[in-house]
């Protein structure tokens, strides 16, 4: 029940010196949103499609999506505890370190989890991932909608 959960948390946190649990900073969201918007704009313009680093960042982007919130919680709370900033927000330079560390962590996640999962799925359904013989891909604007 919720009352039991509340009692458990009250008892567990009653011995804590400080009662603050830092979970986010607005800068983190703005940095990630800016990075995504900037890369999307460059990609649409065609200016960076041949740049290997950009292709690699696109390849690990799902892993980044999957680990960014757990990483944020671990990083922010670990830094706050280590630096004694439990009543304050983390400085911007520390957030930049956290965002920079997200890239190699995403690559590791891609290598250990996503890459093997893709290979496993591809091996289980080889015909389903490729278009049918003779099929051509049409832009969405050229597809016709059937109305009944």
């Amino acid at each position: 029940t919720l009352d039991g959960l509340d009692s458990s948390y009250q008892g567990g946190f009653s011995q804590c010196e400080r009662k603050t649990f830092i979970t986010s900073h607005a800068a983190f969201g703005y940095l990630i949103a800016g990075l995504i918007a900037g890369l999307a704009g460059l990609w649409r313009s065609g200016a960076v499609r041949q740049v290997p680093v950009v292709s690699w960042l696109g390849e690990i982007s799902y892993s980044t999506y999957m680990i960014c919130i757990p990483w944020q919680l671990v990083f922010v709370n670990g830094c706050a505890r280590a630096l004694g900033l439990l009543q304050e927000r983390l400085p911007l330079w520390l957030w930049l370190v956290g965002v920079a560390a997200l890239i190699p962590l995403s690559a590791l996640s891609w290598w250990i989890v996503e890459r093997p999962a893709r290979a496993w799925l591809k091996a289980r359904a080889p015909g389903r991932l490729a278009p049918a013989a003779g099929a051509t891909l049409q832009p969405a604007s050229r597809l016709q909608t059937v109305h009944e």
Side-chain angles (χ1 to χ4, degrees), residues 76-146:
V76 170
N77 289 298
C79 288
R81 193 171 282 244
L83 300 174
L85 301 172
L86 297 177
Q87 298 296 328
E88 305 170 28
R89 289 184 175 227
L90 296 182
L92 181 59
W93 69 269
L94 203 50
W95 278 102
L96 294 175
V97 168
V99 170
L102 186 59
I103 294 170
L105 288 171
S106 297
L108 183 64
S109 171
W110 176 82
W111 186 262
I112 293 172
V113 178
E114 187 178 348
R115 191 173 145 264
R118 283 183 181 181
W120 183 84
L121 288 171
K122 190 174 182 180
R124 290 332 170 255
R128 295 186 66 174
L129 300 178
T136 58
L137 298 176
Q138 298 290 325
S141 61
R142 298 190 68 200
L143 296 176
Q144 295 179 355
T145 305
V146 177

Side-chain angles (χ1 to χ4, degrees), residues 4-47:
L5 184 61
D6 182 56
S7 296
S8 175
Y9 276 103
Q10 292 290 336
F13 288 121
S14 65
Q15 302 300 316
C16 292
E17 184 178 318
R18 294 198 172 110
K19 306 287 186 200
T20 304
F21 187 75
I22 301 172
T23 59
S24 74
H25 189 290
F28 189 77
Y30 294 131
L31 286 170
I32 296 298
L35 177 66
I36 291 169
L39 288 174
L42 287 172
W43 186 263
R44 270 188 253 126
S45 74

Side-chain angles (χ1 to χ4, degrees), residues 46-60:
V48 294
R49 291 187 185 175
Q50 301 304 318
V51 179
V53 165
V54 176
S55 293
W56 180 75
L57 287 172
E59 190 69 27
I60 67 168

